[in-house]
Structures are given as structure tokens and as C-alpha cells.
Amino acid sequence: MMKNVLFVCSQNKLRSPTAEQAFSDWPGIETASAGTNNDAENPLSSELVEWADIIFVMERTHRTKLQTRYRAAMKKARLICLDIPDDYQFMEPALVELLKAKVTRYL
């Protein structure tokens, strides 16, 4: 059975798209990414939250925004905070390594 995995950061420019791409060929999962800010590349929506089985947020502030704005849509999703600061570039090897170290155990 496929699991839907959503990665969330603020702007959906660096961390969450890196995570989406890093796990896109992972067996048994479907990936997507979004940002909590209104001007994000791909803004978070109720539809995305409802779609997800697991939601990985990069920071506690993202978890708080998600729980506040999308509580009704979060019926089934498991919410996990990775505590990854906004200190990385898109597809930076150190970020990919950190993501794989923190995310893999939940998949």
C-alpha cells in the first residue's frame, strides 16, 4: 500500500522541495511538498493535508501553523517535526544527508 508523504517548510523553495526530490524514488511512497507562507512556491492547502498519511515539517513554527490552520483536515496524518533550520540550499548534499538520517525511520 502506498503512503502519501508531505514535506512542509515556509516558502517551499529549499528544504521541502529537496526532501520531496530526495524521497521521490523511495519504494512505497508518493511525495509532495508545500510551504506554510501565502507566497510559497506551492502553498499548503487543506487538500494536501487530507491527502497525506505522514506530514514532515521542518520547524516547530510550521507544526503550529499546520495544527492551527488545518486541524479539520488533519484527521489521519501523522505529524513529525524534523527540527531542520533554514540554513541550506536546494539539494545541498548536507541537507539531503540530514533528511535521510531523520526521515527514513518513519517510512
Side-chain angles (χ1 to χ4, degrees):
M1 194 177 101
M2 287 293 264
K3 271 192 182 160
N4 296 331
V5 179
L6 178 62
F7 296 97
V8 177
C9 67
S10 299
Q11 290 290 357
N12 191 228
K13 289 183 180 168
L14 305 173
R15 293 171 291 174
S16 59
T18 296
E20 178 182 12
Q21 197 165 322
F23 290 96
S24 64
D25 58 356
W26 200 264
I29 67 167
E30 192 74 39
T31 60
S33 66
T36 57
N37 293 359
N38 294 333
D39 60 345
E41 294 288 314
N42 181 35
L44 191 60
S45 66
S46 294
E47 293 76 29
L48 271 173
V49 173
E50 286 173 10
W51 168 85
D53 296 307
I54 305 174
I55 302 172
F56 291 101
V57 296
M58 299 298 156
E59 299 174 33
R60 290 185 182 108
T61 56
H62 305 135
R63 180 175 59 200
T64 302
K65 282 183 182 179
L66 212 139
Q67 288 171 326
T68 304
R69 290 188 202 160
Y70 300 99
R71 184 171 301 281
M74 285 191 58
K75 292 180 177 78
K76 65 170 181 162
R78 181 171 180 198
L79 185 58
I80 298 157
C81 183
L82 297 173
D83 286 314
I84 297 177
D86 195 5
D87 296 339
Y88 300 93
Q89 295 303 308
F90 178 68
M91 292 307 289
E92 183 177 326
L95 175 57
V96 172
E97 199 174 303
L98 184 59
L99 284 162
K100 291 207 169 168
K102 289 187 173 226
V103 170
T104 306
R105 75 182 89 152
Y106 297 105
L107 301 179

